[in-house]
Each structure stands twice: as structure tokens, then as C-alpha cells.
């Protein structure tokens, strides 16, 4: 992993600091907790760690409302601790990726506070999108756009003007036509790169540039560039500037985009050689557990990344998504924000088997792999959190119909027993979200010496992925006759070192492809058959 191209096939572990490990016992995860648990990531076989925002923040949106990019939130620790963490991680072979949230800041950010005080028409307001309202007395918002968190996208301030927020009202959108905004973000990048960050994850990466006309959203899809704030052509110039900053370091830094776009061709434009290095593969992540759907996602992904020579990424979940160890056991196994509801039943045993198979599938595909904290433990989504414990604005802004994203953010269990299952010191404050009873059965302690556990499977898969030359590079060959049907079967590498990955997504056992040796399987094999919802790695 000393190559400057480490990001092409890295295993990146995502830490949501608030829920990873609580070092000081206040019930909130922190950097001290992360530093104490870094060996877990080394033993897992990760190459890099991506931290969701750890900056000073009122946490109105779990830290995606940044009040100061150059300070660590006191709940998490100090800048000195972050610097020590980056260094210690690197000593264990783990690079650090920090999260940058360029679309908006917190309403507590100095710039927004200055804008509120300075009043209408002031240069301070120019850094945001302040507008007069429509209607006789300006009582209607300037547009009728819908927020990603539901509801409107404008909030009125006491002097009568409205400001734009594509997310929550506590997250005012920045005006990227303003030179201060551009300069400031390049400075923030340098601030973290100078402290050893090996890369950044770019939040909501398609939304920065707005049409100053603030027109209505086109009714018809398929007019790329015509949307008032999504994927406008002018955005690429910003990332070209960031790439120049990243490339100015001796070990060039990597840019990873959160690019949610339905059109894979438009997504690939963000990955041109002078823009970002990689982007999350949400197409694959949101597909149902069906061979045809996943095969198509894999094919399309590889086909659209090849022309821009960008590696694919494979993602099963993150801090916004229903955990695979629940989702894959539902009747509807695809993921869609708009469809999230309370009370959807899941067969957790089935979900667990499929999540195991999915782990082997993603680890065998060409490109980089993301593991969201807790997925290596097979944690299910916690779907019965007490309503008064919920924190996510998605829940509140939906009027209580969308359960929100707290269920995948429940603090991790490290030990079988203890007041917070080892999340914090025994007897410390209760975790900020309650852990379910029995959470200790999923703990690292409960799993690490059990060869049949999810944790052991992840460790074996990631160790093999690192050791097997077949799993380098970008080539993938579909096995003869498997273009359709219930199995995904493909070969990586060639000759004596080749590796075949086969996944049965159907309901009947299928014969294993010809092989000389079984390297790893996600569940027991049935003689020479591959049971349903099982994946296997074979030496041909
Ligand atoms: C991204 C983050 C999400 C956050 C949103 C607004 O989608 O992943 O957690 O709420 O951006 O910053």
C-alpha cells in the first residue's frame, strides 16, 4: 500500500466518530476512543479510514453542519488529538480520509452569523443565497424546491429575507460564485492535507453550483445541466482546482466524491483524469438482491469507469443507508430514501447470510471497497429505537413517517458485557443512542475467536484480497454461460493464480464451477453445490 495509486484498490473503513468508541465515558464516541481501537482496523485489513465530519458543529445533522473546519468538536476531542490519530493510523498502515462539506455550513458558522448581522444587500450575505420572497409582502419563498430532507428549502430571517438550504435550515447553502467560498475551501483542503490527511470525501458533491436565476426544477428528466442546482456543468472547474491542490503534494492526495446521479455517464464526468479520483457507487448499493440487477450494475459500472480510467468503488452501506444485515432480509431488498418507513419486517437470518455473500462479492470486484463501521460485525439496523431518542432531521422533517438514519448509527458493541458493551468505559454515561438488548452478541469480543462469525469472514476475505494477485488490476471476465440466471460468476486474474467468485442469488442450489480448491465461502457448501444466498472464492 505504498503506491501513490493506493486509492485504486484500497479497502476503506468508514468511521462515524460519534458511534465508534467513547474514550472519555460521556456517552459520545470520540477521537480517544478511535485511537484506542485502531488495531481493530489493522486486524480487519483496512488500508484507509474515512471519518465523517469531526469538526466543531452543533450536530443538527450529525456533523454535516460544520461551524469551523479548522477545529475538532469538543465532544470528539482536540486538533492535537486528530493530528496524533492521523500519525498513529499511518504507523499501522492506515491512511486517513476526512470529510469536506462544501455545499453548506452550519448556521453557527462565523460567515453565516456575520451575514445575519450585516443585513440585506451586504457583502456578507453574498456568500450565501439570500433573496426577497415572492408574494405581495415577500411572504412566499423564492422557489418551491423540495429539500433532500423534505419540506421547503428556504427559511425567512427577521428582516424579511429568505436564505437557501437544500438540507436542514441549520445548513445554509454557500454561494459558489463567490471567490471567498472557493478560496476558503482550497485552504481547508490544504489545512488537512498539511496534517497528513491522504484524501477527502466530498459531501453532496453535485450540488454546489446554482443557477443565479434560481429557476424551477425541470419536470422532465434528461436535460443534464438544466437543473438549477444539481450537476451543473460549472461544477467541474471547482474539482479541477481541488485536484491541482491534491496533486501539489509529494504523495498526491485523493478526492472521493459523493456523487448521487442516476445517469452513469454524467457521474463519470466527475472522474475525468483532472477531477476526482473515485466516487461512491450508489447504483450498486441501492440495487435489490437479484442476480440480474446486480450483474447489470457491475457491468454498467465497469463500462462507464473504463473510458475515464477511474477505478470503481463497491459500497454496501454507509451512515445514511439501512444496514444490509436487515435490508437484504426484507421483501423489498433495494434501497430508496423515499420508501423508508417504520414497521417493515425482515428475516434477519436470511439478511445475515446475504450480507455475508455480499461481502465476498464486493471484496472480489475490481476497484476499492468501503466498509461502514459495524457491517464487519453484521450489525442489523436498529428499528425499534424509542422515538424520543431519535436525532435525525430526516425523521423530524418527514413529520415522523420516515424513521431516519439513526438505526444505522447506534454505538458499536466491543465487548459481550458491560454497561455499553465496551463502547465506553463500564459505568460511564449511557450511549447517545440506546443500544438494543443482546447487542453484546454482535461484539468484536464475541466474534473474534469464532471462525464462523461475520468478523472472521471479513478478516479472511480482506487478508486474501491483499494476498491474491488476481484481485489486483481492473480486469473481470464473466464465466461462460452466466450472463443470465441466478448466479454471478466471474474470474479475476489468469493462469495458476486466477480466482473465481461465484454467488448464488437464486432459491435453488447450483453446481459449483470447476475448481481445484475452495479458498473461502460465505457459508457451508452443499457437497459440490453452492447453496442459495452463498458466495464462494475458488481456485480454478
Ligand atoms: C450527505 C451525507 C449526509 C448528510 C448530507 C448533508 O448526503 O452523507 O449524512 O446529511 O450530505 O450534508
Amino acid at each position: 500500500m505504498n503506491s501513490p495509486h493506493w486509492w485504486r484498490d484500497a479497502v476503506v473503513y468508514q468511521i462515524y466518530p460519534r458511534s465508534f468508541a467513547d474514550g472519555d465515558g460521556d456517552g459520545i464516541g470520540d477521537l480517544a476512543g478511535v485511537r484506542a481501537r485502531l488495531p481493530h482496523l489493522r486486524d480487519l485489513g483496512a488500508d484507509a479510514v474515512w471519518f465523517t465530519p469531526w469538526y466543531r458543529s452543533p450536530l443538527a445533522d450529525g456533523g454535516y453542519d460544520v461551524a469551523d473546519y479548522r477545529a475538532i468538536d469538543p465532544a470528539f476531542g482536540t486538533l492535537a488529538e486528530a493530528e496524533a490519530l492521523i500519525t498513529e493510523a499511518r504507523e499501522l498502515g492506515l491512511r486517513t480520509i476526512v470529510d469536506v462539506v462544501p455545499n453548506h455550513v452550519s448556521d453557527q458558522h462565523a460567515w453565516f452569523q456575520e451575514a445575519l448581522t450585516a443585513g440585506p444587500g451586504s457583502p456578507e450575505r453574498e456568500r450565501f443565497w439570500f433573496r426577497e420572497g415572492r408574494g405581495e409582502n415577500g411572504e412566499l419563498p423564492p422557489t418551491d424546491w423540495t429539500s433532500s430532507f423534505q419540506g421547503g428549502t428556504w427559511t425567512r430571517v427577521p428582516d424579511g429575507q429568505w436564505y437557501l438550504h437544500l438540507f436542514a435550515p441549520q445548513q445554509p447553502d454557500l454561494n459558489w460564485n463567490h471567490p471567498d467560498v472557493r478560496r476558503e475551501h482550497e485552504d481547508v483542503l490544504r489545512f488537512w492535507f498539511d496534517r497528513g490527511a491522504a484524501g477527502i470525501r466530498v459531501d453532496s458533491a453535485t450540488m454546489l453550483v446554482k443557477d443565479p436565476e434560481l429557476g424551477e426544477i425541470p419536470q422532465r428528466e434528461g436535460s443534464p445541466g438544466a437543473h438549477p442546482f444539481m450537476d451543473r456543468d460549472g461544477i467541474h472547474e471547482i474539482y479541477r482546482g481541488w485536484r491541482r491542490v491534491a496533486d501539489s503534494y509529494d504523495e498526491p492526495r485523493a478526492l472521493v466524491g459523493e456523487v448521487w446521479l442516476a445517469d452513469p455517464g454524467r457521474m463519470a464526468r466527475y472522474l475525468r483524469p483532472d477531477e476526482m479520483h473515485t466516487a461512491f457507487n450508489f447504483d450498486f448499493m441501492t440495487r435489490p438482491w437479484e442476480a440480474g440487477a446486480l450483474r447489470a450494475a457491475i457491468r454498467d459500472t465497469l463500462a462507464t469507469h473504463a473510458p475515464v480510467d477511474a477505478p470503481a468503488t463497491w459500497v454496501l452501506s454507509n451512515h445514511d443507508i439501512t444496514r444490509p444485515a436487515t435490508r437484504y432480509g426484507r421483501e423489498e431488498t433495494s434501497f430508496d430514501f423515499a420508501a423508508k418507513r417504520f414497521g417493515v419486517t425482515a428475516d434477519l437470518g436470511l439478511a445475515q447470510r446475504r450480507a455475508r455473500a455480499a461481502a465476498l462479492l464486493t471484496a472480489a470486484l475490481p476497484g476499492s471497497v468501503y466498509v461502514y463501521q459495524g457491517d464487519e460485525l453484521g450489525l442489523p439496523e436498529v428499528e425499534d429505537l424509542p422515538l424520543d431518542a431519535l436525532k435525525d432531521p430526516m425523521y423530524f422533517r418527514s413529520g415522523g413517517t420516515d424513521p431516519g438514519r439513526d438505526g444505522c448509527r447506534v454505538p458499536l458493541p466491543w465487548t459481550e458485557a458491560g454497561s455499553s458493551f465496551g463502547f465506553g468505559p463500564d459505568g460511564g454515561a449511557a450511549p447517545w443512542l440506546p443500544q438494543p438488548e443482546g447487542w453484546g452478541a454482535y461484539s468484536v469480543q464475541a466474534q473474534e475467536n469464532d471462525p464462523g462469525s461475520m468478523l472472521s469472514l471479513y478478516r479472511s476475505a480482506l487478508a486474501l484480497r491483499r494476498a491474491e494477485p488476481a484481485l489486483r488490476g481492473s480486469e473481470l471476465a464473466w464465466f461462460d454461460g452466466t450472463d443470465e440466471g441466478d448466479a454471478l460468476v466471474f474470474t479475476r486474474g489468469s493462469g495458476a493464480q486466477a480466482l473465481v467468485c461465484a454467488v448464488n442469488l437464486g432459491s435453488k442450489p447450483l453446481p459449483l464451477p470447476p475448481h481445484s480448491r475452495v479458498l473461502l465461502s460465505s457459508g457451508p457448501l452443499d457437497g459440490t453445490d453452492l447453496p442459495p444466498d452463498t458466495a464462494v472464492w475458488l481456485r480454478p
Side-chain angles (χ1 to χ4, degrees):
M1 273 293 137
N2 274 326
S3 144
H5 299 298
W6 61 274
W7 43 271
R8 293 195 79 93
D9 56 7
V11 174
V12 184
Y13 186 91
Q14 180 191 351
I15 289 191
Y16 191 77
R18 210 178 178 186
S19 303
F20 185 72
D22 171 15
D24 64 6
D26 66 354
I28 302 170
D30 50 34
L31 302 190
V34 176
R35 287 168 73 187
R37 297 291 185 187
L38 282 175
H40 172 68
L41 308 187
R42 178 203 51 205
D43 298 345
L44 183 66
D47 302 304
V49 196
W50 150 35
F51 290 91
T52 61
W54 55 17
Y55 320 105
R56 195 159 69 73
S57 164
L59 297 177
D61 180 22
Y64 284 95
D65 46 324
V66 179
D68 182 354
Y69 272 110
R70 296 176 181 80
I72 299 292
D73 194 89
F76 298 150
T78 63
L79 183 59
E81 283 180 279
E83 290 171 351
L85 194 170
I86 294 171
T87 307
E88 288 161 10
R90 191 57 195 260
E91 282 162 10
L92 296 182
L94 299 157
R95 286 180 168 83
T96 296
I97 296 175
V98 297
D99 216 316
V100 173
V101 189
N103 181 69
H104 43 266
V105 290
S106 160
D107 60 355
Q108 300 306 310
H109 189 282
W111 278 3
F112 192 72
Q113 288 297 317
E114 286 161 22
L116 287 180
T117 316
S122 63
E124 287 82 355
R125 288 208 173 176
E126 289 299 307
R127 292 173 177 149
F128 297 90
W129 292 96
F130 278 90
R131 286 287 191 278
E132 301 302 327
R134 292 172 303 172
E136 223 168 289
N137 301 307
E139 71 282 9
L140 297 173
T143 69
D144 293 326
W145 300 345
T146 306
S147 154
S148 302
F149 289 167
Q150 304 197 44
T153 58
W154 297 89
T155 291
R156 201 168 192 192
V157 300
D159 58 50
Q161 282 204 315
W162 298 74
Y163 69 88
L164 174 70
H165 51 86
L166 293 179
F167 294 90
Q170 297 91 336
Q171 296 167 295
D173 278 49
L174 289 165
N175 172 10
W176 274 86
N177 297 328
H178 198 299
D180 286 0
V181 173
R182 298 199 178 216
R183 225 181 357 252
E184 165 67 1
H185 280 80
E186 294 200 357
D187 270 7
V188 165
L189 260 49
R190 286 193 198 91
F191 181 89
W192 287 102
F193 291 161
D194 289 349
R195 282 168 177 72
I200 54 161
R201 177 255 189 196
V202 186
D203 186 71
S204 306
T206 61
M207 300 184 176
L208 280 44
V209 174
K210 277 102 190 169
D211 177 0
E213 299 296 318
L214 301 179
E216 287 304 330
I217 294 167
Q219 293 302 308
R220 280 188 318 118
E221 298 248 340
S223 37
H227 195 284
F229 58 79
M230 192 77 90
D231 188 32
R232 293 183 64 81
D233 290 337
I235 204 163
H236 297 281
E237 193 196 314
I238 296 172
Y239 299 129
R240 291 197 184 101
W242 291 16
R243 181 65 178 252
R244 285 192 292 275
V245 175
D247 284 347
S248 70
Y249 286 80
D250 281 345
E251 183 188 272
R253 308 312 203 224
L255 313 179
V256 185
E258 189 200 20
V259 183
W260 281 97
L261 286 178
D263 175 345
R266 293 292 292 187
M267 170 174 165
R269 289 160 53 92
Y270 289 74
L271 302 177
R272 290 177 289 194
D274 59 348
E275 298 191 40
M276 298 200 202
H277 298 74
T278 63
F280 300 112
N281 190 341
F282 295 125
D283 179 32
F284 177 84
M285 182 187 73
T286 51
R287 300 262 180 148
W289 184 251
E290 284 168 26
L294 291 178
R295 187 185 294 112
I298 296 168
R299 272 186 203 286
D300 291 354
T301 298
L302 297 177
T304 47
H305 284 65
V308 286
D309 190 31
T313 67
W314 307 100
V315 185
L316 291 172
S317 79
N318 64 35
H319 63 293
D320 296 328
I321 307 299
T322 311
R323 293 244 187 218
T326 292
R327 180 165 39 103
Y328 286 149
R330 292 177 172 171
E331 194 177 324
E332 177 56 66
T333 50
S334 63
F335 177 80
D336 178 0
F337 279 111
K340 287 190 78 183
R341 290 292 173 271
F342 284 98
V344 183
T345 55
D347 173 343
L348 293 186
L350 178 65
Q352 197 71 222
R353 288 196 295 283
R354 290 176 172 173
R356 293 174 66 91
L360 284 201
L361 169 62
T362 49
L365 289 166
S368 62
V369 179
Y370 283 79
V371 181
Y372 173 50
Q373 69 178 35
D375 277 359
E376 83 280 20
L377 305 176
L379 294 185
E381 184 83 1
V382 180
E383 302 201 87
D384 56 356
L385 285 166
L387 293 185
D388 61 6
L390 298 184
K391 301 278 188 293
D392 186 12
M394 277 192 151
Y395 164 67
F396 293 102
R397 287 176 59 89
S398 72
T401 55
D402 176 341
R405 300 165 295 180
D406 293 307
C408 66
R409 299 174 176 181
V410 173
L412 295 193
W414 294 91
T415 54
E416 291 182 73
S419 57
S420 60
F421 304 108
F423 169 64
D426 207 18
W432 70 278
L433 278 176
Q435 298 162 307
E437 244 176 78
W439 207 225
Y442 290 103
S443 67
V444 174
Q445 185 184 46
Q447 296 197 34
E448 65 185 348
N449 297 316
D450 171 4
S453 70
M454 183 71 101
L455 180 58
S456 298
L457 179 73
Y458 262 90
R459 284 183 179 170
S460 306
L462 299 184
L464 266 175
R465 188 183 143 95
R466 195 172 274 184
E468 288 286 323
L471 297 179
R472 298 278 97 71
S474 56
E475 301 303 315
L476 171 152
W478 294 99
F479 215 70
D480 280 352
T482 55
D483 288 32
E484 47 191 45
D486 287 337
L488 297 178
V489 191
F490 54 85
T491 305
R492 301 288 318 278
S494 57
Q497 294 185 325
L499 184 150
V500 172
C501 174
V503 192
N504 184 354
L505 293 103
S507 53
K508 294 192 204 73
L510 294 168
L512 285 169
H515 60 278
S516 60
R517 200 151 75 85
V518 174
L519 298 175
L520 186 62
S521 70
S522 68
L525 300 176
D526 180 4
T528 56
D529 279 350
L530 181 62
D533 301 312
T534 307
V536 65
W537 290 0
L538 303 168
R539 183 78 73 216

